[in-house]
Amino acid sequence: MRAARRYREAEFIELGAEWDEDAPAAADRGLARGLSGLLTALAGVGLLALAVAPPPPAIEDGPRDIGDLLARPDPVLTAPPPAWRELETPQIVLGLDAPGIGGLASRHAARVHDGGAREDALVFGGFAEGGTHLRLTLHRAAPGAALEPPRAFFVEAALAAAEAGLAIATSGQPVAVATGFGVLEAAPLVLENGPVRACLAFRGGDGPRLSGWLCAEEATPARLACLVEGLVLLDPGGDAALAEAFARTAAARAPSGCAEPVDPGTVAAIAAGPPAGAPAPVTVPAPPPRPTRLGASS
């Protein structure tokens, strides 16, 4: 900068003109004053625009009064469809020929998973009745697929009990129980849903996979093995793989002290009535009809 300034001074002297040292500084001050004035003018225009602009619409954070609140529609909550769907009519027919089961109330509960897996549960007796209560579930994979690996024993038992409306109070260590369907894991546990009962939970099997629990005065591994040995397939419902698995199980089943070898042709279906000579069921009279409106007398 200094070299350029001396060069400019030399040009002015050569031309015979006078060099004014204050001229550049005055030009800089003029430019600064011009820029400052421009910025001030722009700021004034912005303030004026804000002053004359209409106010933004108010945002309603909530209802203005109770009428506005009542006029709003209720939110609609949509739950995802359940993974399991109950079947009104089971596709297969199972039977159980075992000591201590005849005459107990029984039912066959079947359901299908949205992935194609199926479960068929035979239920004998009532949990709250105090007598023998058996739940025996047969697990089937989706066609062309394999069953999912089982969870931990306690987790699987807790989930199955919760689905049946029961809770596990205490549980013990599982032991191996040999049956015609393969080795089962069985562990003592205490189930409750008001009544508290000592039971024996089980799962496993080399062919068809089984699970469930036995609640009885004699809930022992030996008694459990006898009950499982009596499970037979009366109608496979078109499931050739299941029929073949039961055939292999029957052929490999060793004679035991529970009962004579089971003949599927002589075993009654789970939906059959009580055996001959059993006491007739007690019919509880229906309660009187309720009044048609509150406060009306019958």
Side-chain angles (χ1 to χ4, degrees):
M1 293 294 295
R2 292 178 180 178
R5 184 175 180 179
R6 286 194 299 270
Y7 179 78
R8 296 286 295 174
E9 291 179 359
E11 287 183 340
F12 272 76
I13 293 173
E14 184 178 353
L15 294 174
E18 296 183 357
W19 171 256
D20 187 0
E21 295 183 356
D22 296 333
D28 293 341
R29 288 193 296 271
L31 179 60
R33 285 195 297 269
L35 291 175
S36 177
L38 178 60
L39 294 176
T40 302
L42 292 177
V45 172
L47 293 175
L48 180 60
L50 291 175
V52 300
I59 300 176
E60 296 185 4
D61 295 333
R64 292 173 295 181
D65 51 28
I66 188 63
D68 186 14
L69 180 62
L70 296 177
R72 293 187 177 186
D74 295 332
V76 179
L77 301 178
T78 303
W84 289 95
R85 177 174 54 88
E86 301 293 333
L87 297 177
E88 295 184 2
T89 304
Q91 294 185 340
I92 64 175
V93 180
L94 295 170
L96 189 67
D97 183 14
I101 294 298
L104 292 178
S106 60
R107 61 187 178 91
H108 183 171
R111 63 178 186 171
V112 59
H113 193 269
D114 55 10
R118 299 177 182 273
E119 289 184 357
D120 292 85
L122 303 184
V123 183
F124 295 86
F127 178 82
E129 296 174 0
T132 299
H133 170 59
L134 171 67
R135 184 180 185 91
L136 178 59
T137 302
L138 170 67
H139 303 266
R140 292 189 287 161
L147 286 172
E148 295 182 358
R151 303 181 179 92
F153 184 92
F154 179 81
V155 173
E156 188 170 318
L159 291 175
E163 291 178 352
L166 305 174
I168 296 179
T170 61
S171 64
Q173 293 297 323
V175 297
V177 179
T179 71
F181 290 90
V183 178
L184 304 179
E185 292 179 275
L189 50 79
V190 174
L191 293 175
E192 61 178 356
N193 67 346
V196 180
R197 302 197 60 182
C199 305
L200 190 65
F202 62 92
R203 74 166 186 185
D206 298 334
R209 184 185 296 178
L210 306 174
S211 69
W213 55 77
L214 169 65
C215 304
E217 294 182 0
E218 190 185 357
T220 62
R223 173 82 187 281
L224 174 63
C226 287
L227 293 175
V228 173
E229 288 282 348
L231 180 64
V232 293
L233 179 65
L234 301 177
D235 185 355
D239 191 337
L242 182 64
E244 182 180 355
F246 265 85
R248 290 196 307 266
T249 299
R253 185 178 302 169
S256 64
C258 299
E260 295 297 326
V262 178
D263 180 7
T266 62
V267 179
I270 193 65
V282 178
T283 303
V284 179
R290 300 180 61 183
T292 57
R293 69 177 186 276
L294 186 64
S297 59
S298 57

